[in-house]
Amino acid sequence: MDITTLDYYNNNAQSYIKDTVGVDMSSRQDRFLKLLPQGAHILDFGCGSGRDSKYFLERGFKVTAIDGSAEFCKHASLYTGLSVKQMYFQDLAEVGVYDAVWACASILHLPKNELEMVLGKIRDALVAGGVLYTSFKYGDFEGPRNGRYFTFMTEPLLQKMLAKVGSFEVVEMWTAGDVRPGRAAEMWLNVLARKE
């Protein structure tokens, strides 16, 4: 994770949490949960405010949550009751542990070369048949913007990267507007993929 991105989130944690914690993500969350057995173990990979972890917990799922930002970890721990671990995406080293990984607007902060490596680590951390959800801002931009590093994605770019990582079968890929107030024109690329 780019250090300036982490500094940005640590320095702006309160305003970012205020903007995102109450956002209704249920249409994406429910699409994801529908693919999982009841009580499945989900890794919330870059949990931010803890909004999604809380949603999954309230529906009877087991959740492990991590984030690179110390400030997010503190808030998300209080908000969810989980012990949220501060960890960088690159440090994921578990094998065959999770039924699903939820990486909502999180791994888009990695440069392409690291992103590919981290997708490989996510694949390894999933059980056979495990499900990945992730989302990226739509487009082909890569670089620093507004104090953070971003890698945008289009369908062909993401298909190609998942094929390169291997063992992922795309269940569904779709674009949708940003759900935050006043930002509906900002498009996001969402993907649900299953580990073969």
Side-chain angles (χ1 to χ4, degrees), residues 35 131-132 168-174 191-195:
L35 298 175
V131 173
L132 164 67
F168 277 120
E169 181 199 356
V170 173
V171 177
E172 197 180 0
M173 201 179 278
W174 74 99
V191 66
L192 285 163
R194 196 181 284 282
K195 179 177 172 176

Side-chain angles (χ1 to χ4, degrees), residues 20-30 51 55 179-180:
T20 58
V21 73
V23 168
D24 181 7
M25 290 288 288
S26 58
S27 69
R28 291 167 214 191
Q29 292 160 331
D30 293 345
R51 172 198 65 209
Y55 188 88
V179 289
R180 288 170 291 183

Side-chain angles (χ1 to χ4, degrees), residues 136-163:
F136 296 86
K137 285 178 181 284
Y138 194 84
D140 55 12
F141 172 80
E142 182 182 355
R145 182 174 282 186
N146 304 327
R148 291 165 289 170
Y149 194 94
F150 286 99
T151 295
F152 287 29
M153 280 285 168
T154 59
E155 292 92 341
L157 279 172
L158 188 50
Q159 289 272 19
K160 194 173 162 191
M161 186 171 282
L162 287 170

Side-chain angles (χ1 to χ4, degrees), residues 98-113:
Y98 302 104
D99 299 302
V101 173
W102 173 266
C104 180
S106 59
I107 59 175
L108 83 170
H109 291 306
L110 296 167
K112 274 203 186 86
N113 60 332

Side-chain angles (χ1 to χ4, degrees), residues 8-193:
Y8 174 92
Y9 282 126
N10 282 324
N11 295 331
N12 297 280
Q14 290 314 313
S15 63
Y16 187 83
I17 287 162
K18 195 167 143 284
D19 286 351
T20 58
V21 73
V23 168
D24 181 7
M25 290 288 288
S26 58
S27 69
R28 291 167 214 191
Q29 292 160 331
D30 293 345
R31 250 164 142 153
F32 169 69
L33 295 179
K34 244 188 276 183
L35 298 175
L36 308 184
Q38 190 50 44
H41 188 183
I42 299 168
L43 173 63
D44 190 351
F45 202 50
C47 68
S49 65
R51 172 198 65 209
D52 304 325
S53 287
K54 193 175 174 77
Y55 188 88
F56 302 147
L57 286 167
E58 284 169 351
R59 280 148 189 82
F61 292 88
K62 181 183 177 188
V63 180
T64 297
I66 70 109
D67 203 280
S69 157
E71 289 302 311
F72 281 165
C73 289
K74 270 187 265 182
H75 178 275
S77 295
L78 288 169
Y79 185 63
T80 61
L82 293 168
S83 176
V84 178
K85 184 180 175 191
Q86 187 185 359
M87 187 180 109
Y88 300 139
F89 297 134
Q90 297 90 330
D91 296 334
L92 181 65
E94 293 155 301
V95 176
V97 170
Y98 302 104
D99 299 302
V101 173
W102 173 266
C104 180
S106 59
I107 59 175
L108 83 170
H109 291 306
L110 296 167
K112 274 203 186 86
N113 60 332
E114 288 187 27
L115 182 55
E116 198 176 302
M117 175 194 78
V118 167
L119 282 166
K121 287 175 173 282
I122 289 171
R123 176 204 59 211
D124 294 346
L126 284 166
V127 299
V131 173
L132 164 67
Y133 166 84
T134 188
S135 58
F136 296 86
K137 285 178 181 284
Y138 194 84
D140 55 12
F141 172 80
E142 182 182 355
R145 182 174 282 186
N146 304 327
R148 291 165 289 170
Y149 194 94
F150 286 99
T151 295
F152 287 29
M153 280 285 168
T154 59
E155 292 92 341
L157 279 172
L158 188 50
Q159 289 272 19
K160 194 173 162 191
M161 186 171 282
L162 287 170
K164 211 167 165 193
V165 170
S167 300
F168 277 120
E169 181 199 356
V170 173
V171 177
E172 197 180 0
M173 201 179 278
W174 74 99
T175 54
D178 198 306
V179 289
R180 288 170 291 183
R183 298 179 69 167
E186 289 179 41
M187 297 309 287
W188 286 78
L189 181 62
N190 304 271
V191 66
L192 285 163

